[in-house]
Amino acid sequence: MTRGNRNVDLRHLRYFVAVAEEENIGRAAARLHISQPPLTRQIQQLEEELGVTLFTRTPRGMELTQAGELFLEEARNIRALVEQATERAQRAGQGKLGRLDVGIFGSAILDAIPKLLLAFRNRYPDVKVVLHTMTKAEQIEALRQRRISVGFNRMLAPLADLAIKQVTTEGLLLAVRVDHPLAAQPTIRFAELQHHPMVLFPTGARPSFIDKVIGLCADSGFQPQISQEVGDAATGVALVAGGFGVCLVPDSATTLQFPGVAYRPLSDTPPNFHVDLSCIYRKDDQSPILAAFLDTVGRYRDDQA
Amino acid sequence: MTRGNRNVDLRHLRYFVAVAEEENIGRAAARLHISQPPLTRQIQQLEEELGVTLFTRTPRGMELTQAGELFLEEARNIRALVEQATERAQRAGQGKLGRLDVGIFGSAILDAIPKLLLAFRNRYPDVKVVLHTMTKAEQIEALRQRRISVGFNRMLAPLADLAIKQVTTEGLLLAVRVDHPLAAQPTIRFAELQHHPMVLFPTGARPSFIDKVIGLCADSGFQPQISQEVGDAATGVALVAGGFGVCLVPDSATTLQFPGVAYRPLSDTPPNFHVDLSCIYRKDDQSPILAAFLDTVGRYRDDQA
DNA sequence: CTCCTCAATACCCTACAGGTATCATCGAGA
DNA sequence: TCTCGATGATACCTGTAGGGTATTGAGGAG
């Protein structure tokens, strides 16, 4: 079996299809914007390479042989596939096609993240977004190992190889059980929190939201009474319902509607009484999909402002 | 959308796949038996044509981008398809793959033709043989219109544009009803036929088997009594069973077993007491499948001899 | 027999794939 | 900190092959 396709290239196929369709080398040459003799030569060369007679030459023009008919189908397929491949590669290069692996934290995917993902999905419907629940430390590890391209978290600090982009900033509310003494007040002074046991979250890599809360208390001159540390906001609110005490949560946690738990605003709060939600990604990641995603993040943040 | 694939050819794909697999331009170049700089240039040119960054250059080598990964799959597909297309075209060019349209006569496909078709099918299993039942005149018309590539018939005469190849030659037998007077003899003298009505076939384009029989009778000095003309041997034998008289048939018609009908050999026969089965095809038909078929016919005929 | 329409051939020219030599960059060790 | 080694990129040259023009050859149609 002669391996004859070494020197066959797409030009040959393009020319071949044109000749097969026009059944006339002169017309085909005109259609291809070349002159007749080189086209004749290319067809001869193709037949030579394949070792197959593709056309029978008649006084009226070129007529496909049976082998030619078969090869015509294949040639059209190949050309269509090439067309499709370039188009898909281009779309992928523009970040319009592909896959984005995203790290998210805890079981609490609250407010901003779903909205953001929805906005991204609308703008880039052919990018498959895959969510991975992982802690902050796992996100950083996964980013470095390229298992994810972007992670969402709070209290992120820039690193040498990882960059941060803020998504949104939120105030804090107090989750209390409706029969808790503090629940009687429509607004609670921040300093009052020192007299009540608190549930804190999340466990795991520091600094995290825990440190934010402890820092805020320190700014107000006290140390919180920690009744329990839990993994995420949802668990925290569940413990509040169970009577473990109060719990400071970001605004968006109000989407966690729990029977017997109310959310109360705070007054006399220290400065910086808010917490950021940011995303983190590799500085050297040139992926157009990540660029598109970060662009969507920027637009989202601007819309919020 | 930039239509950028105009100058992309299979060489680009081959080079791209090599680099993607080696993740190193130098090694890929060695594998391709070219030097490193042209390979670098070809990859750059491919990226330029597509408008897509396919690799991220690292100090350790070339790493596929997401778009590159996607394009790699497509490139492999395309290359496999090209491989397959050339191979199929080559097989078609050798007559090993394709379709052969064959014209056969009457409802009587007897002995030689099934054997021949079976032999051809065994030698060329990927050639689809399509049978078309048609008269001699229809076969000639269909050959000229390229609707069939070869026809089978008896009493064929060469034409300007059509060639003949003999398949086999057969003797003649007499089909008689078992209660017919002639059936009593184990062998019948040819001249006796003048006293008995005969069924003749086929109707349609002349000269045909009818003329053969009439000619044989003339050679023996008489004119046959024609009781009925019918379309084909099977019908003829059926009429013999129905009492319409006797019927001269080729040897192979004995495969038509009819209750109450016997076949008897003849003695004192005139010269040329046999009939040929031939096939007819276009002289200018260069199809390798036809060539393969005619070759099979030749082998069959030689085996018979 | 002549003209007309095809494809095929002869010959030239230029563009570009491929070669050699060299440079730029970035890590890894000494 | 500096050098060395590996990698890809660049500069420049050369030969081949793809494309152009002019012409020939070969069948049909009138």
Side-chain angles (χ1 to χ4, degrees), chain A residues 150-166:
Chain A
V150 63
F152 281 96
N153 231 305
R154 300 187 192 281
M155 307 289 294
L156 287 168
L159 293 164
D161 54 340
L162 302 180
I164 306 291
K165 180 161 190 155
Q166 185 186 320

Side-chain angles (χ1 to χ4, degrees), chain B residues 112-113 116 150-156 158 163-171 274-281 293-305:
Chain B
I113 295 178
L116 192 54
V150 62
F152 281 97
N153 231 304
R154 300 188 193 281
M155 306 291 293
L156 287 168
I164 305 293
K165 180 162 191 154
Q166 185 186 321
V167 177
T168 189
T169 186
E170 302 178 71
H274 53 77
V275 63
D276 292 345
L277 175 66
S278 298
C279 61
I280 184 169
Y281 53 92
F293 186 76
L294 292 176
D295 180 64
T296 304
V297 168
R299 287 163 189 258
Y300 175 83
R301 188 182 53 192
D302 297 346
D303 286 353
Q304 299 301 100

Side-chain angles (χ1 to χ4, degrees), chain A residues 69-304:
Chain A
E69 299 258 16
L70 191 146
F71 193 67
L72 175 59
E73 278 184 56
E74 309 263 16
R76 283 184 172 137
N77 275 346
I78 292 165
R79 279 168 51 72
L81 204 55
V82 170
E83 197 76 29
Q84 184 184 315
T86 61
E87 199 244 321
R88 280 166 57 89
Q90 282 164 0
R91 297 213 311 138
Q94 291 160 12
K96 291 178 182 167
L97 175 66
R99 165 177 172 146
L100 185 74
D101 288 89
V102 179
I104 56 175
F105 58 94
S107 57
I109 311 150
L110 306 170
D111 198 48
I113 295 177
K115 282 183 186 163
L116 192 54
L117 294 177
L118 204 61
F120 182 69
R121 190 195 195 81
N122 286 338
R123 284 184 64 198
Y124 298 92
D126 294 331
V127 175
K128 185 174 172 185
V129 176
V130 181
L131 300 180
H132 304 266
T133 298
M134 42 179 73
T135 67
K136 190 188 301 182
E138 287 169 344
Q139 285 183 18
I140 290 169
E141 168 104 358
L143 279 166
R144 290 185 171 141
Q145 292 177 352
R146 321 272 166 115
R147 299 202 323 272
I148 64 175
S149 295
V150 63
F152 281 96
N153 231 305
R154 300 187 192 281
M155 307 289 294
L156 287 168
L159 293 164
D161 54 340
L162 302 180
I164 306 291
K165 180 161 190 155
Q166 185 186 320
V167 178
T168 188
T169 187
E170 303 179 69
L172 301 180
L173 295 174
L174 192 69
V176 289
R177 211 160 93 146
V178 289
D179 58 0
H180 189 281
L182 290 176
Q185 313 174 26
T187 303
I188 300 156
R189 284 186 304 110
F190 185 77
E192 289 184 72
L193 297 182
Q194 66 186 295
H195 307 302
H196 300 279
M198 289 178 66
V199 178
L200 290 181
F201 66 91
T203 51
R206 311 294 275 265
S208 68
F209 186 60
I210 281 189
D211 302 287
K212 179 76 186 180
V213 173
I214 293 173
L216 289 170
C217 294
D219 291 347
S220 293
F222 66 94
Q223 196 175 348
Q225 302 174 35
I226 302 175
S227 76
Q228 186 65 243
E229 288 188 17
V230 297
D232 56 60
T235 313
V237 175
L239 290 198
V240 168
F244 278 70
V246 299
C247 183
L248 274 173
V249 299
D251 284 346
S252 58
T254 52
T255 54
L256 297 167
Q257 290 296 342
F258 232 89
V261 173
Y263 295 98
R264 292 282 182 270
L266 293 140
S267 59
D268 300 340
T269 56
N272 291 322
F273 189 68
H274 52 78
V275 63
D276 291 344
L277 175 67
S278 299
C279 62
I280 183 168
Y281 53 92
R282 293 203 330 278
K283 277 179 182 166
D284 65 352
D285 190 339
Q286 297 301 311
S287 157
I289 295 183
L290 175 62
F293 186 77
L294 292 175
D295 179 64
T296 305
V297 168
R299 286 163 191 257
Y300 174 84
R301 189 182 52 192
D302 296 346
D303 286 354
Q304 299 301 100

